[in-house]
């Protein structure tokens, strides 16, 4: 029989005390889609909110094979050795992870998994990117309330997951392989412009020169692109996660970013903006939900979409039909003019 | 007294015959926010739809001073000399243009304004980006029905207007000045990755070498960025709009893009996708409208936003409050999980 769910106070106390079992159960509660759990999760988060915000939130992306796990395992181990408490969250909307996946994540980051100052949590086993994003954001808050002061959110770069991760963290790191340009690296359009730093990984052995050339190419490209902030140009460095080369320099840059951004006030403002944008994302997701909740409207939408696609119907007329099916006011002043 | 509005058939016939006065009146109808006009405009567009799609839709952006008007004036004149019919639409959500602005646009493109194979239309005098985008898209359709076979949509790059324009055209051209990188050019993050071609303008006189160096820097940067299509790498060329240097090569590239993309099928698919995405944009604008139409909900949203910004309220709870104020179902399975 399932264990009875702890009372709200037990969750709050357990998470605040850094009780790992309670933290894990709280995350499971956050991940639940049951109406009753969702209401409890919202209350829990609201109770814990004053104790959140204390971690450095770091996003990390890179194509498969770029060495993300090895790098996080080594970097995380370096950080716990210096007294940090490190949580690693993985965002991967495509994986069909189950209980076994936790083992998978713990295997690929073996040292960190055995480190009692670290906490590794894979993404939920299913769900849309929006759902995965919500649970990852909320898990981040729980980890902060539990006293973790470095949170690394890893993404494999599926769909729009890099954008989603970049929008929930303070610092976004892109990991590259020595070699050619973005398309050959499997990087998606625009990811480079999200980067607060680029690290060319596997700069060890025979690869060192190639990694330096790649870093130089990207450094030149970034000189032309608009920087993440007027006060920060994304550095391009070479590292070896496997050999623990350059990871101190990497962390130094991450700390330096924090100093620069807090001094300018951008750090705090970015967090406030992220929270508000998150609220709007959730509201828009709920509004879109209205389109699919009603099977008749979903069906109508599908038909209209096909006619628009075929060039038989003007998009504005199609939009009007959906609006009136939803009971929104018909063609009126200012309609279809709204833009956030 | 205002002239009586023509009947629908008169608009259809007038536009189809290329009657410039009727085209101008049809655009005014499209731009109107009056409920009655909006309904008539929708009907008109639906009637004209079979006669649209025949133009090459070209977007052009560049920072102020990059020489957009001079380049369009010269390029357009070259094109009408070869038998093309050219319409120029300007997207500028910030300008408070009135009747006088039309004169402004006609002054800054003096030759084209006097050319009876060309048609220049400024953006509406006010409105949100969404509204401006809608009218520009629909004006584009009207111009196609009137027989224009090249449509140039110019934007000054305010807000998200480059993205909006890139999403309504076949080919997106970015105009640069000889000199340093994006931020010094006043280019926004991500614009470079929208470009199907980059032209460094003012490559004349003493500027030629500097323009070539700039072109080379951008060429290197684009080698690293992911290209617009697997079949198309954005060329970087130097031109002088003022001296009519390189504009034939520029047009040749634009034609070559058309050939490559129609051969691969991407041309047609992009247009279909743009039409469907436009429909969804309009629907989402209508849904967002629901948030601001009701003053009580708008007020509530403002208050919640302030509390989220201050770190007092979890975004998910704020979203729930809005959802229930809108009468959407409360915390339920799958809510806030929707993602298009």
């Amino acid at each position: 029989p399932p264990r009875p769910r702890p009372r709200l106070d037990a969750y709050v106390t357990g998470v605040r005390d850094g009780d790992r079992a309670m933290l894990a159960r709280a995350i499971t509660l956050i991940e639940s889609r049951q109406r009753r759990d969702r209401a409890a999760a919202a209350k829990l988060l609201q109770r814990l909110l004053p104790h959140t915000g204390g971690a450095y939130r770091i996003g990390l992306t890179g194509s498969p094979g770029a060495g993300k796990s090895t790098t996080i395992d080594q970097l995380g181990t370096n950080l716990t050795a210096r007294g940090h408490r490190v949580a690693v969250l993985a965002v991967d909307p495509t994986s069909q992870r189950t209980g076994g996946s936790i083992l998978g994540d713990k295997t690929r980051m073996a040292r960190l998994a055995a480190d009692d100052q670290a906490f590794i949590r894979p993404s939920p086993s299913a769900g849309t990117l929006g759902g995965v994003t919500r649970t990852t954001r909320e898990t981040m808050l729980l980890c902060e309330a539990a006293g973790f002061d470095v949170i690394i959110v890893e993404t494999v770069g599926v769909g729009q997951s890099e954008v989603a991760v970049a929008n929930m963290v303070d610092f976004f790191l892109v990991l590259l392989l020595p070699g050619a340009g973005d398309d050959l690296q499997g990087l998606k359009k625009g990811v480079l412009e999200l980067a607060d730093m680029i690290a060319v990984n596997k700069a060890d052995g025979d690869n060192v020169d190639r990694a330096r050339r790649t870093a130089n190419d990207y450094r030149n490209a970034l000189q032309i692109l608009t920087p993440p902030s007027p006060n920060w140009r994304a550095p391009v460095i070479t590292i070896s996660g496997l050999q623990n080369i350059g990871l101190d320099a990497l962390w130094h840059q991450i700390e330096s970013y924090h100093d620069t951004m807090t001094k300018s006030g951008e750090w705090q403002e970015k967090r406030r903006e992220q929270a508000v944008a998150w609220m709007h994302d959730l509201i828009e997701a709920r509004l879109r939900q209205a389109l699919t909740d009603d099977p008749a409207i979903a069906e109508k939408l599908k038909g209209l979409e096909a006619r628009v696609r075929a060039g038989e119907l003007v998009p504005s007329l199609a939009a009007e039909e959906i609006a009136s099916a939803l009971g929104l006011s018909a063609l009126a002043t200012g309609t279809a003019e709204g833009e956030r």
Side-chain angles (χ1 to χ4, degrees), chain A:
Chain A
R3 286 178 295 179
R5 205 180 60 203
R7 290 208 329 264
L8 191 61
D9 283 338
Y11 275 119
V12 171
T13 313
V15 169
R16 291 271 289 138
D17 287 348
D19 174 339
R20 302 166 70 94
M22 280 306 277
L23 174 59
R25 294 188 73 180
I27 296 173
T28 304
L29 182 69
I30 292 287
E31 290 173 353
S32 168
R33 299 188 182 202
Q34 306 264 327
R35 172 194 286 250
R36 196 168 137 266
D37 291 343
R38 290 293 300 277
K43 271 187 212 142
L44 173 61
L45 282 171
Q46 185 59 30
R47 281 279 295 277
L48 291 173
L49 193 62
H51 311 289
T52 63
Y56 202 141
R57 304 166 180 172
I58 298 162
L60 185 143
T61 195
S63 47
K68 293 186 292 296
S69 311
T70 310
T71 303
I72 292 173
D73 195 32
Q74 185 64 60
L75 176 67
T77 304
N78 296 354
L79 291 172
T80 59
R82 289 193 214 165
H84 289 290
R85 296 188 63 210
V86 178
V88 179
L89 314 177
V91 172
D92 180 0
T94 57
S95 84
Q96 292 302 317
R97 296 184 178 197
T98 58
S101 77
I102 297 170
L103 192 64
D105 274 326
K106 293 196 170 168
T107 307
R108 64 190 181 90
M109 296 179 236
R111 270 175 303 177
L112 217 49
D115 188 333
D116 64 5
Q117 297 304 303
F119 181 81
I120 300 177
R121 181 82 184 193
S123 65
S125 59
T128 59
L129 178 58
V132 172
T133 303
R134 177 186 66 76
T135 57
T136 306
R137 282 180 180 275
E138 295 180 352
T139 300
M140 200 160 69
L141 297 179
L142 292 177
C143 290
E144 287 179 341
F148 290 93
D149 68 328
V150 175
I151 297 175
I152 300 176
V153 184
E154 176 198 3
T155 177
V156 289
V158 172
Q160 287 296 301
S161 68
E162 295 102 334
V163 178
V165 170
N167 285 339
M168 68 173 82
V169 297
D170 304 311
F171 188 92
F172 193 65
L173 171 63
V174 175
L175 218 58
L176 292 179
L177 284 169
D182 275 17
D183 46 338
L184 297 172
Q185 298 260 2
L187 270 200
K188 286 201 312 267
K189 238 173 141 79
V191 170
L192 216 54
E193 301 208 53
L194 299 171
D196 295 307
M197 174 159 65
I198 289 174
V200 181
N201 195 19
K202 307 201 178 176
D204 47 38
D206 292 348
N207 264 328
V208 172
D209 282 347
R210 216 151 63 97
R212 285 194 187 141
R213 280 196 303 276
T214 303
N216 209 44
D217 288 348
Y218 276 88
R219 214 170 277 129
N220 288 335
L222 287 185
Q223 259 163 30
I224 279 188
L225 297 176
T226 301
S229 136
N231 300 304
W232 186 259
R233 278 206 167 266
V236 182
I237 64 172
T238 61
I239 62 166
S240 166
L242 187 66
Q243 311 256 354
N244 200 9
I245 299 167
L247 295 187
D248 286 351
L250 181 147
W251 186 251
H252 178 77
Q253 290 284 2
I254 292 177
E255 284 184 321
S256 158
Y257 178 85
H258 174 262
D259 295 345
T260 307
M261 293 296 116
T262 43
K263 206 169 287 170
S264 71
E266 288 166 273
W267 180 276
Q268 300 82 340
E269 183 54 22
K270 185 174 171 177
R271 283 210 170 173
R272 286 191 290 262
E273 288 300 328
Q274 284 177 339
V276 172
W278 180 13
M279 177 186 94
H280 282 288
D281 284 351
L282 291 170
I283 293 171
E284 296 205 3
R286 290 296 293 270
L287 291 173
R288 277 197 298 270
Q289 190 82 21
L291 291 178
T292 49
D293 273 353
D294 181 335
I297 289 175
E299 191 61 31
K300 193 181 191 67
L301 185 63
K302 225 169 106 185
L304 292 169
E305 198 174 300
R307 288 177 61 201
V308 166
R309 176 176 289 276
E312 294 166 12
L313 183 66
V314 177
S316 43
L317 270 187
E320 281 310 322
E321 285 207 33
I322 289 297
S324 66
L326 284 171
L328 299 172
S329 59
L331 281 163
T333 56
T335 50
E337 306 275 339
E339 182 100 354
R340 204 175 70 207

